[in-house]
């Protein structure tokens, strides 16, 4: 048995630090190989193979974003002629020339020990020297190594070390794309359907796929196109969020489901950095909106549609906007910080303290290590916030986030449309986990805890 090693606690004034006990099964790493592969958009990313002392190997690869937050851990790219500067040979060398010799020095007793050593080797605050694309791939591979040595499925190992109850998540299928992920004029980046009323992961995936196919028929009939955005959702020539949501409502009904907060709900990621102008003004469908007008606009959408979650409704530095929004609707809907928090426990704690939002998006490559990711989830939990685990717009076939969301039991994931191999790899992994256990409950965590009730610092 693996000891319940992850017993950190946070002081929301940021003065505290986690205490973590070593897990019981140390791993032995012989070396880490790395090479450049392509992500789902045809851009280079880092893949690693970790060779372990018992002769086995574990693999991992790094995802990459398009609408990246300014405060994310830094990817290392070559900035040369190859792939318009996007090749990652320097990050590959970080793994083979520096991280591999470091990790090959012996036994490692916890993922925190591995990640701390990599951070110390890097020496910067944001992993800019080695590259977060290098470190996240190594960290995920090392996590797989710990699960392997403990002879546990990855999700179960994560549940043990984080002292969590495993839970199958509600998948949020991004079926209509705009913003930085599509060529249409739609400012909002993601329109998702969330089968909150499904009884199982398998039923949720079926609902998502059926709605996606119903939407395909509607989009083809109305727009004479089936063009897709980066995450596999359709990207027709829609200009307004209302039109996008009407289309979703129709597709949900066409597929035989009920658009409601209890059956199939809608979630959006406006990714507001993309349409923030300046001085607290946002531009949607050609109209400039003040912060107050944008809040009113979201309220109208909430009144009109079964909208359960709004991510990055305001820009990453517009704390004033986030506060206004939270005061207006924080008690009736989920408000998720993505670029706002960048999976950073300190930024999340700050968000709870200042009441910016009641949920955090969780993307391992934003913080660059698995330990940083688990710290972010733990911090959100302790401060009464929800979490949603997320893919990136540039993905690989790595399914780590599926095990992460089950193992931490946070209850929600977004991994794009139920189409395209790199997206469905995660959904398929979820149904595979469910089939293997069939005892892990499905669904959202009770939303008793909101940042309004958060631990007051
Ligand atoms: C987001 C993500 C994933 P990207 O904004 O939430 O959907 O997009 O990976 O491009 O940052
Ligand atoms: Mg986002």
């Amino acid at each position: 048995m693996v000891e319940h090693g992850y017993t950190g606690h946070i002081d929301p004034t940021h003065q505290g630090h986690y205490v973590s006990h070593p897990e019981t099964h140390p791993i032995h790493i012989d070396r880490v190989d790395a090479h450049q592969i392509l992500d789902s958009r045809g851009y280079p990313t880092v893949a690693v193979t970790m060779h372990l002392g018992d002769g086995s190997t574990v693999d991992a690869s790094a995802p990459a974003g398009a609408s990246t937050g300014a405060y994310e851990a830094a990817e290392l790219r070559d900035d040369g002629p190859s792939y318009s500067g996007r090749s990652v040979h320097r990050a590959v060398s970080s793994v083979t020339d520096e991280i591999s010799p470091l990790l090959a020095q012996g036994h490692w007793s916890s993922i925190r020990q591995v990640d701390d050593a990599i951070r110390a080797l890097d020496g910067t605050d944001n992993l800019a020297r080695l590259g977060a694309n290098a470190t996240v791939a190594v960290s995920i591979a090392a996590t797989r190594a710990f699960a392997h040595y403990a002879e546990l499925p990855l999700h179960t190992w994560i549940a043990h070390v984080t002292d969590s109850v495993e839970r199958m998540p509600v998948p949020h299928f991004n079926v209509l794309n705009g913003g930085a992920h599509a060529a249409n004029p739609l400012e909002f980046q993601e329109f998702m359907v969330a089968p909150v009323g499904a009884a199982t992961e398998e039923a949720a995936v079926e609902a998502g796929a059926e709605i996606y196919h119903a939407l395909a028929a509607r989009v083809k009939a109305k727009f004479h196109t089936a063009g897709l955005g980066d995450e596999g959702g359709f990207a027709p020539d829609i200009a307004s969020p209302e039109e996008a949501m009407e289309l979703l409502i129709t597709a949900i009904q066409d597929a035989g489901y009920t658009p409601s907060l209890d059956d199939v709900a809608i979630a959006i990621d406006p990714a507001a950095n993309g349409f923030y102008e300046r001085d607290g003004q946002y531009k949607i469908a050609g109209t400039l909106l003040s912060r107050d007008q944008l809040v009113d606009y979201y309220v109208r959408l909430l009144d009109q549609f079964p909208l359960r979650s709004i991510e990055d409704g305001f820009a990453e530095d517009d704390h004033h906007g986030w506060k206004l929004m939270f005061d207006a609707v924080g008690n009736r809907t989920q408000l998720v910080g993505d670029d706002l928090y960048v999976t950073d426990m300190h930024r999340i704690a700050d968000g709870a303290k200042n009441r910016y939002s009641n949920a955090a998006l969780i993307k391992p490559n934003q913080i660059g290590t698995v330990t940083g990711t688990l710290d972010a989830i733990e911090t959100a939990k302790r401060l009464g916030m929800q979490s949603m685990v997320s893919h990136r717009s540039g993905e690989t076939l790595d399914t780590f986030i599926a095990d992460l969301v089950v193992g931490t039991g946070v209850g929600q994931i977004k991994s794009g449309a139920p189409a395209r191999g790199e997206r469905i790899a995660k959904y398929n992994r979820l149904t595979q986990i469910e089939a293997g256990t069939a005892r892990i409950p499905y669904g959202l965590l009770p939303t008793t805890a909101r940042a309004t009730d958060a631990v007051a610092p």
Side-chain angles (χ1 to χ4, degrees):
M1 276 298 288
V2 173
E3 223 172 59
H4 289 202
Y6 193 77
T7 54
H9 62 270
I10 185 168
D11 170 358
T13 60
H14 306 184
Q15 301 309 312
H17 61 277
Y18 278 82
V19 182
S20 113
H21 303 295
E23 292 103 35
T24 50
H25 291 82
I27 61 169
H28 188 281
I29 299 169
D30 280 344
R31 69 170 200 279
V32 190
D33 293 340
H35 60 285
Q36 173 174 295
I37 60 168
L38 293 186
D39 72 18
S40 54
R41 304 164 305 177
Y43 293 133
T45 190
V46 179
V48 304
T49 299
M50 186 174 277
H51 295 260
L52 304 175
D54 66 359
S56 58
T57 58
V58 282
D59 293 328
S61 50
S67 60
T68 47
Y71 304 101
E72 294 193 19
E75 290 181 326
L76 185 60
R77 297 196 179 265
D78 297 339
D79 294 329
S82 171
Y83 290 100
S84 311
R86 291 175 187 251
S87 59
V88 293
H89 296 298
R90 288 197 293 159
V92 165
S93 300
S94 295
V95 178
T96 53
D97 300 354
E98 295 200 57
I99 300 176
S100 179
L102 170 81
L103 297 186
Q105 280 168 18
H107 287 76
W108 297 90
S109 55
S110 71
I111 186 62
R112 183 175 298 277
Q113 191 191 18
V114 171
D115 288 338
D116 284 352
I118 293 173
R119 277 206 168 273
L121 175 69
D122 175 82
T124 68
D125 283 346
N126 62 353
L127 297 168
R129 196 181 72 74
L130 295 171
N133 42 354
T135 64
V136 78
V138 172
S139 184
I140 290 171
T143 305
R144 291 200 165 102
F146 279 105
H148 167 76
Y149 273 81
E151 296 182 19
L152 287 171
L154 182 56
H155 54 94
T156 306
W157 185 86
I158 290 171
H160 279 294
V161 296
T162 59
D163 205 8
S164 307
V165 176
E166 292 182 78
R167 178 174 290 269
M168 301 307 305
V170 172
H172 289 61
F173 300 102
N174 179 14
V175 292
L176 274 176
N177 296 181
H181 295 170
N184 58 14
L186 196 56
E187 275 90 3
F188 284 16
Q189 181 177 283
E190 299 170 25
F191 294 83
M192 295 168 268
V193 289
V196 289
T200 62
E201 197 72 31
E202 194 184 349
V205 168
E206 182 174 339
E210 289 189 338
I211 292 164
Y212 182 76
H213 295 133
L215 183 64
R218 289 274 173 186
V219 168
K220 280 180 207 159
K222 189 167 179 193
F223 300 96
H224 311 289
T225 168
L228 302 181
D230 286 344
E231 300 187 347
F234 300 103
D237 218 5
I238 294 180
S240 82
E242 288 91 332
E243 193 187 351
M245 301 231 257
E246 295 286 2
L247 204 54
L248 283 194
I249 297 286
T250 316
I252 293 167
Q253 288 165 336
D254 286 352
Y257 297 90
T258 310
S260 76
L261 292 174
D262 304 320
D263 189 23
V264 177
I266 294 176
I268 56 174
D269 178 6
N273 282 348
F275 56 93
Y276 182 66
E277 292 283 304
R278 74 192 81 78
D279 307 326
Q281 297 211 302
Y282 294 80
K283 198 173 201 172
I284 298 176
T287 309
L288 266 187
L289 300 179
S290 68
R291 291 185 179 104
D292 285 311
Q293 287 171 321
L294 184 56
V295 170
D296 289 346
Y297 180 64
Y298 288 128
V299 170
R300 283 203 300 282
L301 294 181
L302 282 163
D303 288 343
Q304 219 179 323
F305 299 100
L307 189 51
R308 70 167 302 271
S309 182
I310 302 175
E311 177 186 326
D312 281 357
F314 283 80
E316 63 199 357
D317 287 325
D318 188 6
H319 297 140
H320 186 50
W322 278 94
K323 269 171 164 338
L324 281 178
M325 180 74 168
F326 186 86
D327 287 345
V329 294
N331 60 354
R332 67 182 274 208
T333 197
Q334 177 171 264
L335 302 172
V336 186
D338 171 14
D339 295 335
L340 176 69
Y341 297 141
V342 293
T343 316
D344 179 329
M345 62 183 277
H346 300 297
R347 294 181 68 89
I348 292 170
D350 205 46
K353 185 170 112 190
N354 292 303
R355 302 183 180 204
Y356 295 151
S357 84
N358 50 33
L361 202 73
I362 301 294
K363 295 166 164 170
N365 81 321
Q366 279 184 327
I367 194 71
T369 63
V370 171
T371 301
T373 306
L374 298 178
D375 284 347
I377 293 173
E378 176 71 9
T379 301
K381 264 187 204 167
R382 282 178 189 281
L383 298 179
M385 293 164 80
Q386 307 287 326
S387 291
M388 183 189 292
V389 170
S390 170
H391 66 152
R392 299 306 306 250
S393 50
E395 268 294 336
T396 70
L397 294 181
D398 194 304
T399 56
F400 178 74
I401 58 168
D403 285 78
L404 176 68
V405 73
V406 175
T408 54
V410 298
Q412 331 181 57
I413 189 172
K414 65 169 193 172
S415 180
R420 297 180 46 151
E422 77 281 1
R423 311 295 148 187
I424 57 171
K426 282 68 162 176
Y427 298 128
N428 286 345
R429 172 66 183 154
L430 288 172
T431 52
Q432 183 192 40
I433 292 171
E434 183 175 70
T437 68
R439 281 193 304 276
I440 305 179
Y442 169 85
L444 298 165
L445 287 174
T447 45
T448 46
R450 297 205 176 274
T452 35
D453 317 317
V455 182

